[in-house]
């Protein structure tokens, strides 16, 4: 197919070892998106990625709150926080990208979750909407008007990245077969898609990408 117009970017959210099978916060079937992402990449001039990148003492880790288990909810600095297994610790293999994924054409990587006091699901802002990763300015300076989003996990970081992109005024698309959900509750992935559609985000399958050139 013809490449998508140069005002379009592909945002790959948190495609990291710890979210893949065998990882600390494995997303079921997360590995199935890897070949799909690699087949998508040649269609985009601008590809950026986000990288979950936590200090070991991050407040979202159950291990850092005595007597808690992953999946429990706490209040962290005034915000409701789901506790997670320790994952994507800065500099570890779990935080790295899988070897099978072609990174040769990525223009930039935006790290998130670096502040131990607040989690960061969106690739744009932390959950308190104070810290800014720089992704928005990067896209605007590059003349990007449309973003296609893929990666992990659909019900957390992909969802919040897509919602922020839309709120910031980008025409926003989710590639539904290039994402997978954690599904702490079995319907979470389905609900995320409904929420994204209701927010004006177009959900498409990768095989239909050519409709958007
Ligand atoms: C994510 C939970 C915690 C994600 C990151 O990438 O979806 N989920 N940290
Ligand atoms: Zn995280």
């Amino acid at each position: 197919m013809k490449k998508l117009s140069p005002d379009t970017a592909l945002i790959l959210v948190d495609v990291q070892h710890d979210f893949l099978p065998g990882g600390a916060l494995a997303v079921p079937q997360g590995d199935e998106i890897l070949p799909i992402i690699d087949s998508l990449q040649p269609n985009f001039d601008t590809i950026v990625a986000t990288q979950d990148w936590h200090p070991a003492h991050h407040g979202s880790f159950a291990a850092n709150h005595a007597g808690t288990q992953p999946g429990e909810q706490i209040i962290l600095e005034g915000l409701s926080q789901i506790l997670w297994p320790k994952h994507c610790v800065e500099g570890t293999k779990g935080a790295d990208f899988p070897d099978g994924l072609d990174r040769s054409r990525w223009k930039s990587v935006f790290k998130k979750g670096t502040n131990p006091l607040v989690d960061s699901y969106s690739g744009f802002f932390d959950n308190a909407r104070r810290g800014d990763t720089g992704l928005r300015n990067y896209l605007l300076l590059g003349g990007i008007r449309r973003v296609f989003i893929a990666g992990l996990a659909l019900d957390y970081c992909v969802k919040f990245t897509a919602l922020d992109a839309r709120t910031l005024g980008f025409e926003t698309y989710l590639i539904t077969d290039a994402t997978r959900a954690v599904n702490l509750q079995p319907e979470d992935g389905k609900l995320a898609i409904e929420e994204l559609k209701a927010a004006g985000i177009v959900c498409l399958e990768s095989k239909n990408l050519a409709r958007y050139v």
Side-chain angles (χ1 to χ4, degrees), residues 19 25 52 54 60-61 84 87-88 112 119-121 157:
F19 298 120
L25 212 174
D52 213 35
H54 299 305
S60 73
F61 298 163
W84 300 106
H87 65 278
C88 297
K112 64 187 188 56
D119 212 352
S120 193
Y121 293 150
C157 294

Side-chain angles (χ1 to χ4, degrees), residues 116-188:
L117 299 178
V118 61
D119 212 352
S120 193
Y121 293 150
S122 160
F124 291 95
F125 307 107
D126 66 43
N127 293 1
R129 301 189 70 81
R130 279 190 217 114
D132 180 332
T133 62
L135 175 56
R136 173 200 198 182
N137 270 337
Y138 182 90
L139 296 174
L140 291 177
L141 289 172
I144 299 299
R145 192 182 60 74
R146 291 198 301 177
V147 296
F148 286 73
I149 299 178
L152 301 169
L154 169 59
D155 36 359
Y156 291 94
C157 294
V158 168
K159 177 175 99 170
F160 286 100
T161 300
L163 290 173
D164 275 349
R166 177 79 184 122
T167 302
L168 290 170
F170 296 100
E171 216 177 279
T172 306
Y173 299 81
L174 172 75
I175 306 172
T176 54
D177 51 331
T179 183
R180 290 291 184 280
V182 178
N183 283 334
L184 287 183
Q185 303 295 325
E187 302 283 280
D188 284 353

Side-chain angles (χ1 to χ4, degrees), residues 31-48:
D31 54 330
E32 292 176 7
I33 72 170
L34 298 176
I36 299 172
I37 286 174
D38 271 344
S39 71
L40 286 168
Q41 296 203 67
N43 300 304
F44 293 85
D45 270 338
T46 298
I47 306 169
V48 297

